Amino acid sequence: YYKTYFFAALFNSIIDNTDKVAGYFGECGRLGIKVLPPHVNHSRYRFAAEDDNIRFGLGAVRNVGRSFAEEIFKEREENGKFSSPGDFIRRMTGKDINKRAVSELILGGALDNLGPCRAQMQGAYENIMAAASYESKHNAAGQISLFDVSEEVITKDDYPNIKEYDHKTLLAYEKEAVGIYVTGHPLDEYRQLLERAADTKISEIKNEDESFDGRKVKIAGMVAARKNKVTKNNTQMAFLTFEDLSGSIEVIVFPKTLITYD
């Protein structure tokens, strides 16, 4: 049990270093410690031990600042857990809520299991926020009008009748929102193959306590991003973001190698 507290504290000490978080995330998996995704009904601002697991902090989600994250925790403690995306949005309206934060919370899995799937929530949250803002302003002013009946229609939480994102898209959005893959990894099905093909993990290369200068290593994974650049000699070279299950690293591909293998 003490291991979960140790890793929670470790994650909090490197919360702004995504590469290190990813590396220790993999180590938790190896030790059988599950790192749970962020969630508005369970997370605090920082990483925290939750039974034998570690719960991702809301502060790790893009565009969710400390103030908003702490407002979420305060509202939950004072008035109970959120029952739906609409309930969350309405209760947080006027408390530093903004569209970007809600979108990232949805895509990062922080509103999962509150009813609709992520794709449906993503397609509806702006309308729900507009309705919640409308309700809040009129309730604050104590206004009652002939349009109250139509307001019920406006404030109803309508979700588009669409399917959930496919698994690859879900993971891509999740990484964009949180910085790392939490609920899975695109390379999971190739784990054994990668372990046989590689002799070094990216997290090991990036470990500041060990030098790999001058050493030849084999890493195995996928190209997550690529950017080509024209050299002074008018040839092409490439800058790759290469990922394995432990993290990512930049790889420079010089012209001769690029011509051979591109």
Side-chain angles (χ1 to χ4, degrees), residues 195-215:
E195 289 176 352
R196 291 196 299 267
D199 59 22
T200 306
K201 296 178 182 178
I202 289 175
S203 60
E204 294 172 340
I205 297 173
K206 303 183 80 170
N207 187 339
E208 297 174 357
D209 297 329
E210 186 174 357
S211 174
F212 278 80
D213 290 346
R215 290 171 56 181

Side-chain angles (χ1 to χ4, degrees), residues 9-26 45-47 56 59-60 175 178-180 202-203 206-208 246-249:
L10 185 59
F11 280 130
N12 286 325
S13 71
I14 56 170
I15 194 170
D16 294 323
N17 190 323
T18 303
D19 286 334
K20 285 191 174 182
V21 169
Y24 288 120
F25 186 87
Y45 172 71
R46 302 172 73 83
F47 289 83
F56 233 94
K175 186 182 180 186
V178 183
I180 64 173
I202 289 175
S203 60
K206 303 183 80 170
N207 187 339
E208 297 174 357
S246 73
S248 63
I249 195 170

Side-chain angles (χ1 to χ4, degrees), residues 8-77:
L10 185 59
F11 280 130
N12 286 325
S13 71
I14 56 170
I15 194 170
D16 294 323
N17 190 323
T18 303
D19 286 334
K20 285 191 174 182
V21 169
Y24 288 120
F25 186 87
E27 183 65 13
C28 283
R30 189 184 69 80
L31 294 173
I33 301 172
K34 191 172 182 180
V35 181
L36 306 172
H39 201 283
V40 295
N41 277 339
H42 304 286
S43 296
R44 299 193 177 205
Y45 172 71
R46 302 172 73 83
F47 289 83
E50 186 176 306
D51 298 324
D52 292 330
N53 308 311
I54 296 172
R55 174 67 68 174
F56 233 94
L58 293 174
V61 182
R62 283 178 50 189
N63 297 308
V64 177
R66 188 184 193 103
S67 175
F68 185 44
E70 290 180 346
E71 286 283 3
I72 293 172
F73 176 71
K74 181 180 179 182
E75 172 63 27
R76 186 178 78 218
E77 290 294 292

Side-chain angles (χ1 to χ4, degrees), residues 194 197-203 205 217-221 242-244 249 251:
L194 297 178
D199 59 22
T200 306
K201 296 178 182 178
I202 289 175
S203 60
I205 297 173
V217 299
K218 289 192 297 182
I219 57 176
F242 193 82
E243 293 184 356
D244 66 8
I249 195 170
V251 176

Side-chain angles (χ1 to χ4, degrees), residues 156-169:
K156 182 181 178 182
D157 296 346
D158 288 323
Y159 298 95
N161 184 22
I162 56 177
K163 294 181 179 180
E164 179 62 292
Y165 302 121
D166 61 73
H167 186 60
K168 184 178 180 181
T169 302

Side-chain angles (χ1 to χ4, degrees), residues 125-141:
Y125 79 90
E126 290 191 59
N127 288 338
I128 298 175
M129 289 185 73
S133 178
Y134 180 88
E135 290 176 40
S136 178
K137 289 177 182 178
H138 283 69
N139 289 339

